[in-house]
Amino acid sequence: MAQRIQSGCTLFLTLFCLFFPVKAMGEMVTNSLGMRFIAVPPGRFTMGSPTSEPGRERVETLHTVVISKGFYIQETEVTQGQWKRLVGFNPSAFPKCGENCPVDTVSWEQCMEFIRVLNQYEQTTKYRLPTEAEWEYACRAGSTTAFTSGPLTQTTCKPLDPALDSVGWYCANSGYKNPPDDLRPHPVKTKKPNNWGIYDMHGNVQEWCLDACKWRDLFRGRVGATTDTYRDNIVDPLSTKGDRRIFRGGGWHQTPKYCRSAYRSYYKPVAKRNSLGFRIVKER
């Protein structure tokens, strides 16, 4: 009986989301470290990319995903100042960038420990990394193009891709000279937000997600983020199989294809990169 009720609720949610487009809630909460979180409503969206999208990779199969529960997602990436205020040191390779720049050079394991300490500090259990489905859902904010701001029109660092330039720091605009030189991350909230008021989801730093993945298809000899969650009408997917961890979002040094909403890749959970950071979800 319980399974029948649950199935009925899932069907109702799917039909509701199909006929009533998702809109941003506009609600925001701020914690004691000054981290601001945007409310994201439940909804249904198409995850992945069409075969016609420039830069597309084979692990981006289009499929329908239902996000059954609303959540809060951090307005920006975790900043150097927020990290330092909680744990007392700054691991970033770019400390001169300032407290409002995203923290970088942190492993997935370090991010999980930061979140554990944050939960303890805030006396809650609601903070965690986003699943990659939640991440893409929040990134797209109702859009279906390569970027939340429009389609990808340039595949290299020159000339500027106008859609990406408006919302993200990447290889064509993250230098301090013209033409760009001395590429590096920039302070958060210095580009336009998406339609839900979320900043820096394209570029600046790549962002760890909660999902595990495999990295090689042994039967086909292919390499790439491999999960069993890319299938139609899946509800609240979270991949737990594999010894790698998914990251999303592209970085300050990368070309436009790596900054697309659908782009996904992986590192070992101990990996650290000067282009790799994270943002946090808070459960309702």
Side-chain angles (χ1 to χ4, degrees):
M1 177 66 73
Q3 281 186 331
R4 192 177 301 167
I5 292 172
Q6 185 177 13
S7 298
C9 290
T10 301
L11 176 61
F12 174 79
L13 177 61
T14 301
L15 292 173
F16 180 87
C17 295
L18 178 64
F19 292 106
F20 295 90
V22 175
K23 295 181 180 179
M25 301 292 284
E27 182 187 356
M28 182 181 293
V29 296
T30 305
N31 69 13
S32 57
L33 285 180
M35 294 174 162
R36 291 156 60 98
F37 294 81
I38 302 287
V40 176
R44 180 177 183 268
F45 80 112
T46 301
M47 189 172 181
S49 62
T51 56
S52 59
E53 185 169 292
R56 181 186 192 269
E57 299 194 355
R58 64 173 185 81
V59 293
E60 300 172 15
T61 306
L62 281 176
H63 61 292
T64 300
V65 175
V66 174
I67 303 295
S68 70
K69 292 174 282 191
F71 58 93
Y72 295 96
I73 193 165
Q74 196 172 356
E75 181 187 38
T76 70
E77 296 143 338
V78 175
T79 66
Q80 295 181 32
Q82 291 163 354
W83 180 284
K84 188 175 181 179
R85 282 194 292 276
L86 185 67
V87 297
F89 72 98
N90 183 4
S92 176
F94 303 95
K96 292 182 180 180
C97 188
E99 287 197 346
N100 287 327
C101 281
V103 72
D104 62 83
T105 320
V106 288
S107 69
W108 186 87
E109 292 178 347
Q110 285 180 305
C111 294
M112 295 294 281
E113 178 64 11
F114 178 91
I115 291 169
R116 185 192 68 79
V117 174
L118 178 61
N119 273 315
Q120 188 177 55
Y121 184 77
E122 293 275 304
Q123 298 183 358
T124 184
T125 59
K126 293 185 178 295
Y127 293 108
R128 59 174 172 81
L129 287 174
T131 68
E132 70 161 329
E134 289 170 339
W135 190 97
E136 186 170 328
Y137 178 59
C139 176
R140 288 190 177 280
S143 66
T144 59
T145 47
F147 309 117
T148 186
S149 48
L152 183 155
T153 56
Q154 302 295 331
T155 57
T156 59
C157 294
K158 299 177 184 179
L160 280 171
D161 184 293
L164 180 53
D165 180 47
S166 68
V167 295
W169 295 108
Y170 73 112
C171 67
N173 63 10
S174 65
Y176 284 84
K177 298 178 182 178
N178 189 12
D181 191 11
D182 195 20
L183 306 182
R184 64 182 70 182
H186 286 245
V188 299
K189 295 181 70 171
T190 47
K191 289 290 185 178
K192 292 180 181 178
N194 68 16
N195 288 335
W196 290 354
I198 308 168
Y199 293 84
D200 295 295
M201 297 201 83
H202 301 288
N204 222 3
V205 294
Q206 303 160 325
E207 300 178 18
W208 285 115
C209 291
L210 192 58
D211 297 62
C213 73
K214 298 177 181 178
W215 66 281
R216 178 180 292 171
D217 187 334
L218 293 175
F219 295 103
R220 299 178 182 174
R222 294 175 175 174
V223 174
T226 303
T227 65
D228 58 5
T229 54
Y230 268 52
R231 60 180 189 270
D232 251 343
N233 297 312
I234 191 167
V235 179
D236 300 328
L238 171 63
S239 175
T240 59
K241 299 176 183 177
D243 61 355
R244 280 13 180 215
R245 299 295 183 269
I246 295 285
F247 70 82
R248 293 300 205 104
W252 49 266
H253 64 301
Q254 292 185 299
T255 58
K257 67 169 284 186
Y258 300 107
C259 300
R260 295 173 300 112
S261 298
Y263 178 73
R264 56 200 297 253
S265 194
Y266 58 87
Y267 288 125
K268 292 181 179 180
V270 296
K272 299 178 184 180
R273 301 287 187 275
N274 65 2
S275 59
L276 183 57
F278 70 118
R279 76 178 70 219
I280 295 174
V281 154
K282 183 178 183 182
E283 296 177 348
R284 284 181 172 275

